[in-house]
Structures are given as C-alpha cells and as structure tokens.
C-alpha cells in the first residue's frame, strides 16, 4: 500500500516544520526542505537538478535510469565489446563512469562465480581529435588529450584501451587538406556543423569496426535530444526524426546505444560535481546557425520550466520508430543461458514498411517517399556526383551540397570513401528493392484514398 497522510505510521508527514504534501504520480510526497524525498532521512542537496534528493539517493536515481535503459533494451550483454565515445564533457564522462561501474560489477560477479558462466564485457574509449580543423591552439588540444588519457588510466581494472583518432583518418590518403577543403566547400553554417557531426560518427564507426567493437555508447542525454527534436523539425527532417531519438540505433554497421537518454544535462553536471568526476571541456566556437539558435531557445524554456526538455522528448517519443531502432536478433545458441534469462528486449512497434534499406549517404537518415522517387530516376544521372546528389535526403541537398551544379564534382571528389561507398550501395545495390518499396507505397496510398 502506498504511503499517504492517512495511513503513514513512520511519521513521514507529521514533521513539526509543517511539510507541504503533494501528489507525484500515485504517491504522496513530502516537500519538506530538510529531508530527502526518497529516503526521508538525509538532507537534500537542493536545487532543481537534485530534485530534493540527498547525495546518495540522487546518484542512485541517476544510475538507476542508466541501468534500466541498458537492461531493458539489451544495450550491453556479457559477450559484448563496447566502445564509449568520449568528448570529455559531463555527458560522456558520466556515460564512461557508469559503463565502467557496470563492467567492474560484472568482473566481481565473474570472480565470485563458481562456473563463471557470465563473461565480462569489454570496454574501449574513443576520442575524436579535431586538431586539424579546430580554431584552438594545438597545445591546448594536446593538453586536453593528456587529461583524457589520465582520466581513462585512473579507472579501476579491467584496463580500457583509449583510441585517440584524428578525424582526418576517415580518409585513406591525404586527409588533412581534403577535410579542410570539404568543409570550406559548404557555405551554409548549419550544413557545415551537421556535416562535421556526420564525419565524427563515421570516424567512430571506422575505429569500432577496425578494433573489433560491436556497439558504440554515446552520452547523448535528454537535453541534447530535445534540441535535436526541434532543430530536425526546422530543417525538414521530421520523417527521419524517430530514428535519431530512440535508445538503440542499428542502422549503422556498429549499432549505437544511448543509455543516458532519460537523464538531463543538469543532473549530469551535478553528478560530476558531487563525485569529483574530472571533465575536459574543449571550448568551441559559438554555433551561429540553426543548432545554436535552437540550443539557446531550449535553454530559455528549461529555465522557465525544468520539465520542458523532458516534455519535448516524451512527446517526440510517441512517433513510430523504425525497424532498426532495436538491437538485432542474435543467434541464441552462442549466448549463455544465464545471459538469455537476464536479457530483456524492449517490445517496439516499428513500421516495417518505412524505407528500411535506403539511407542518405551523408547523414544516413532513412529516405522518405519523395526522396525515393528521385532516387529511382538514377538512370538520368550522367556522373557519379549526380548519382550521389540524387541519393541524398532533401535536408542534406539543401544545406550541405553546393548550390552551383558545377561545384558538385569538386565536392564529390573531396568526400571520404565511407560516404561514397554508402551512396553507391543506396544507388545501385537496392534499386530493385527500391522500386518495389515505391510501388508498395503508391498502392498503399491508393487504398487509403479509396
């Protein structure tokens, strides 16, 4: 039975200082400023970020969100080898810390087990070095990298390998100049920011694939996702938005998971402060495009109402996810019985008819019906650059591709091989499947109209 003022026998609500009683969900909660609302014993840390929790309950609550996301969506299993993307900021720092604690606990259980049937998952850390294109002095970035090495090395065993990957390594040849020229070829400020974001993901995919990792952990939190929801809508990416905001994204060669999806950045900052988690903030130039404007707008909304970011993400979460927004089914015969018993798979309701095999070669977003119709006319494209442009989504065509048709060839020549290969895969290997999908969509529309 839930505790409430009428049946409480532990004097939770009979405090002499006249605590106000409010209803949270289906429970009565005391808002007494002198007691933690969870344990009702210790003093709260105060502030919106703490939500009136004491230090222990605040940390337990935050780690509980992480653990629930991991177990409910099969993000990390004992046989996995995961790569944590680490930028040095509070979100990725907490993600690394929580993954480390989960691994450390698994190691303890493994050592204490008699049959040792549950192996310990592996963990690596990747930092994308953007010295080539960063306005910061190289010695500042070198100092930050040394701090990152120290953070990773100070973690308790098992030892975690750190991969410091220059972003130009996505090219096989002279990547430094080609990368600079590629970014210079994008005139739109927002398009340049988005292209750099896509190149970071491609770099992470490359190092994960080459180093034997089977999952990538990102520290994206509720606050970042809320900004993405609005900015993607403004950019005309509403169709592909559901793909970006789920706990799991398996459209990539190496699936990407977001265990901090339910955590606010204010909470993560608070935890770093309370636990003394060292962060490395590399100052970057202000975002002057759509992304910067949206971040400022959402920040103001959050200051006015601390639940705004959660409301934005929760509302967008009602959109139908794609079929790849879950961990791919694996061969259960190679998974230990104990793992299969503990593992949970979130029962999504994906729309299997949504363009499941055709993606934009730049941002890897699923193409909508109009994009697929354009892609089906590749026979009229004379050059590889024309085919690449036809394979891109409407948003990338508008913000990233050069407006002058004569500049497309030069832009295409500067692209790294993974993006070119992705375009060829979308353009040629799936044309027959693409035509079938278009026909199915048209038949479905005709049935709806009738």
């Amino acid at each position: 039975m839930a505790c409430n003022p009428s049946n409480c026998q532990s004097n939770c609500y009979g405090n002499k200082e006249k605590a106000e009683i409010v209803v949270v969900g289906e429970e009565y909660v005391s808002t007494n400023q002198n007691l933690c609302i969870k344990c009702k014993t210790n003093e709260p840390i105060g502030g919106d970020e703490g939500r009136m929790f004491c230090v222990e309950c605040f940390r337990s609550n935050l780690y509980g969100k992480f653990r629930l996301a991991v177990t409910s969506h099969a993000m990390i299993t004992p046989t996995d080898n995961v790569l944590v993307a680490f930028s040095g900021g509070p979100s990725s720092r907490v993600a690394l810390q929580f993954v480390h604690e989960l691994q450390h606990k698994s190691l303890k259980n493994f050592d204490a087990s008699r049959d040792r049937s549950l192996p310990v998952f592996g963990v690596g850390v990747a930092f994308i070095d953007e010295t080539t294109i960063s306005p910061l002095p190289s010695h500042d970035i070198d100092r930050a990298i040394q701090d990152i090495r120290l953070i990773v090395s100070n973690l308790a065993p098992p030892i975690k390998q750190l991969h410091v990957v220059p972003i130009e390594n996505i090219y096989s040849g002279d990547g430094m100049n080609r990368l600079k020229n590629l970014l210079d070829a994008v005139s739109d400020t927002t398009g340049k920011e988005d292209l750099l974001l896509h190149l970071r993901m491609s770099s992470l995919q490359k190092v994960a694939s080459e180093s034997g990792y089977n999952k990538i952990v990102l520290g994206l939190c509720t606050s970042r996702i809320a900004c993405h929801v609005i900015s993607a809508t403004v950019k005309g990416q509403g169709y592909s938005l559901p793909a970006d905001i789920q706990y799991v994204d398996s459209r990539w060669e190496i699936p990407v998971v977001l265990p901090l999806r339910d955590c606010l950045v204010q909470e993560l900052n608070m935890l770093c402060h309370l636990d003394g988690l060292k962060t490395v903030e590399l100052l970057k130039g202000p975002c002057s495009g759509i992304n910067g404007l949206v971040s400022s707008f959402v920040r103001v909304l959050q200051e006015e109402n601390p639940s705004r970011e959660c409301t934005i993400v929760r509302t967008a979460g009602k959109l139908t996810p794609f079929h790849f927004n879950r961990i791919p089914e694996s061969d259960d015969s190679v998974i230990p019985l104990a793992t299969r018993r503990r593992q949970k798979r979130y029962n999504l309701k994906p729309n299997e008819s949504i363009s499941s095999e055709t993606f934009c070669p730049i941002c890897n977003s699923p193409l909508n019906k109009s994009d697929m119709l354009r892609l089906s006319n590749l026979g009229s494209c004379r050059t590889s650059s024309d085919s690449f442009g036809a394979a891109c989504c409407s948003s990338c065509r508008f913000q990233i591709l050069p407006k002058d048709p004569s500049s497309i060839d030069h832009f295409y020549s500067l692209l790294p091989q993974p993006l070119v290969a992705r375009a060829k895969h979308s353009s040629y290997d799936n044309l027959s499947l693409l035509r079938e999908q278009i026909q199915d969509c048209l038949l479905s529309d005709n049935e709806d109209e009738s």
Side-chain angles (χ1 to χ4, degrees):
M1 179 182 295
C3 178
N4 62 60
S6 63
N7 65 15
C8 176
Q9 315 224 342
S10 58
N11 203 31
C12 296
Y13 306 97
N15 192 282
K16 296 180 180 180
E17 299 189 17
K18 299 181 180 180
E20 180 185 356
I21 308 303
V22 298
V23 178
V24 178
E26 298 180 352
E27 296 184 0
Y28 291 85
V29 174
S30 170
T31 59
N32 187 352
Q33 300 296 316
N34 297 323
L35 292 177
C36 166
I37 64 173
K38 184 176 181 180
C39 67
K40 300 183 179 67
T41 302
N42 300 321
E43 293 185 1
I45 55 180
D48 292 334
E49 297 82 3
R51 294 184 181 180
M52 303 308 299
F53 288 115
C54 66
V55 174
E56 291 300 323
C57 291
F58 172 76
R59 194 184 192 287
S60 174
N61 179 68
L62 201 58
Y63 183 78
K65 294 180 183 180
F66 163 85
R67 184 63 185 267
L68 180 63
V70 169
T71 56
S72 298
H73 301 269
M75 292 184 183
I76 302 176
T77 62
T79 56
D80 285 338
N81 192 23
V82 302
L83 181 67
V84 179
F86 188 62
S87 66
S91 296
S92 63
R93 181 64 185 90
V94 173
L96 174 61
Q97 184 65 28
F98 282 174
V99 170
H100 161 68
E101 291 179 13
L102 193 64
Q103 185 196 35
H104 188 64
K105 183 177 180 180
S106 298
L107 179 62
K108 278 187 171 183
N109 293 337
F110 178 80
D111 292 337
S113 174
R114 291 183 178 179
D115 58 359
R116 298 194 170 185
S117 59
L118 285 176
V120 180
F121 66 91
V123 178
V125 184
F127 172 76
I128 305 301
D129 181 5
E130 300 178 11
T131 305
T132 302
I133 55 177
S134 175
L136 292 175
S138 59
H139 60 82
D140 287 345
I141 299 180
D142 291 339
R143 188 182 306 115
I145 292 176
Q146 291 301 320
D147 290 339
I148 290 173
R149 293 186 188 278
L150 187 62
I151 290 173
V152 175
S153 63
N154 284 342
L155 295 173
I159 297 176
K160 298 160 186 62
Q161 182 178 359
L162 173 63
H163 306 268
V164 178
V165 185
I167 191 170
E168 63 267 20
N169 280 10
I170 193 175
Y171 291 94
S172 55
D174 179 21
M176 187 178 300
N177 291 329
R178 289 181 65 186
L179 178 60
K180 289 181 179 179
N181 293 334
L182 176 65
L183 294 175
D184 290 341
V186 182
S187 58
D188 185 83
T189 302
T190 303
K192 187 175 297 187
E193 294 172 358
D194 290 349
L195 177 58
L196 184 55
L197 180 65
H198 305 324
L199 293 176
R200 288 192 195 110
M201 176 55 73
S202 296
S203 298
L204 287 172
Q205 288 289 320
K206 186 173 186 289
V207 66
S209 178
E210 293 176 348
S211 303
Y213 297 98
N214 67 329
K215 285 172 188 169
I216 296 177
V217 176
L218 297 185
L220 289 181
C221 60
T222 299
S223 307
R224 286 279 303 277
I225 296 174
C227 293
H228 178 71
V229 168
I230 297 180
S231 62
T233 305
V234 173
K235 298 171 191 175
Q237 298 171 347
Y239 176 81
S240 61
L241 176 59
D244 303 329
I245 61 175
Q246 309 299 329
Y247 293 91
V248 176
D249 186 353
S250 297
R251 81 186 102 161
W252 304 92
E253 176 188 358
I254 309 298
V256 175
V257 297
L258 311 180
L260 298 183
R261 181 183 180 274
D262 297 326
C263 304
L264 295 169
V265 70
Q266 295 87 353
E267 295 175 324
L268 303 177
N269 281 324
M270 175 69 77
L271 183 66
C272 289
H273 172 71
L274 293 174
D275 284 5
L277 300 179
K278 182 177 178 58
T279 59
V280 180
E281 288 288 0
L282 288 173
L283 298 177
K284 299 180 181 179
C287 298
S288 56
I290 293 175
N291 300 322
L293 292 174
V294 169
S295 296
S296 300
F297 173 67
V298 173
R299 191 179 305 115
V300 172
L301 292 179
Q302 184 70 7
E303 291 173 356
E304 294 177 352
N305 187 338
S307 65
R308 286 284 169 81
E309 292 175 343
C310 293
T311 301
I312 294 172
V313 175
R314 186 166 57 248
T315 302
K318 297 178 181 179
L319 296 172
T320 302
F322 289 81
H323 76 99
F324 50 75
N325 287 130
R326 54 185 173 185
I327 295 296
E329 296 294 335
S330 56
D331 183 6
D332 286 343
S333 63
V334 299
I335 299 179
L337 177 60
T339 303
R340 298 202 300 270
R341 288 175 176 172
R342 296 185 180 189
Q343 184 169 296
K344 301 177 182 178
R345 295 196 185 277
Y346 192 67
N347 185 23
L348 291 175
K349 297 179 179 179
N351 188 342
E352 298 288 354
S353 65
I354 296 179
S355 177
S356 59
E357 300 294 339
T358 309
F359 302 94
C360 172
I362 296 180
C363 66
N364 209 29
S365 296
L367 300 182
N368 59 28
K369 191 185 306 180
S370 61
D371 292 330
M372 289 195 299
L373 286 171
R374 184 184 62 251
L375 184 57
S376 65
N377 297 323
L378 281 177
S380 60
C381 297
R382 299 179 179 179
T383 64
S384 298
S385 58
D386 290 338
S387 298
F388 181 87
C392 294
C393 68
S394 301
S395 178
C396 289
R397 285 168 58 85
F398 179 75
Q399 292 185 318
I400 295 179
L401 294 184
K403 302 296 185 294
D404 186 359
S406 61
S407 302
I408 294 292
D409 289 339
H410 176 64
F411 179 85
Y412 180 78
S413 67
L414 298 173
L415 290 169
Q417 183 58 31
L419 272 65
V420 174
R422 196 184 301 159
K424 291 181 178 179
H425 174 76
S426 299
S427 302
Y428 301 109
D429 293 348
N430 290 325
L431 275 181
S432 59
L433 176 62
L434 182 61
R435 294 190 180 97
E436 293 178 4
Q437 290 176 340
I438 294 173
Q439 290 176 358
D440 292 341
C441 290
L442 294 176
L443 288 174
S444 177
D445 289 345
N446 292 334
E447 292 175 358
D448 293 341
E449 291 177 358
S450 61

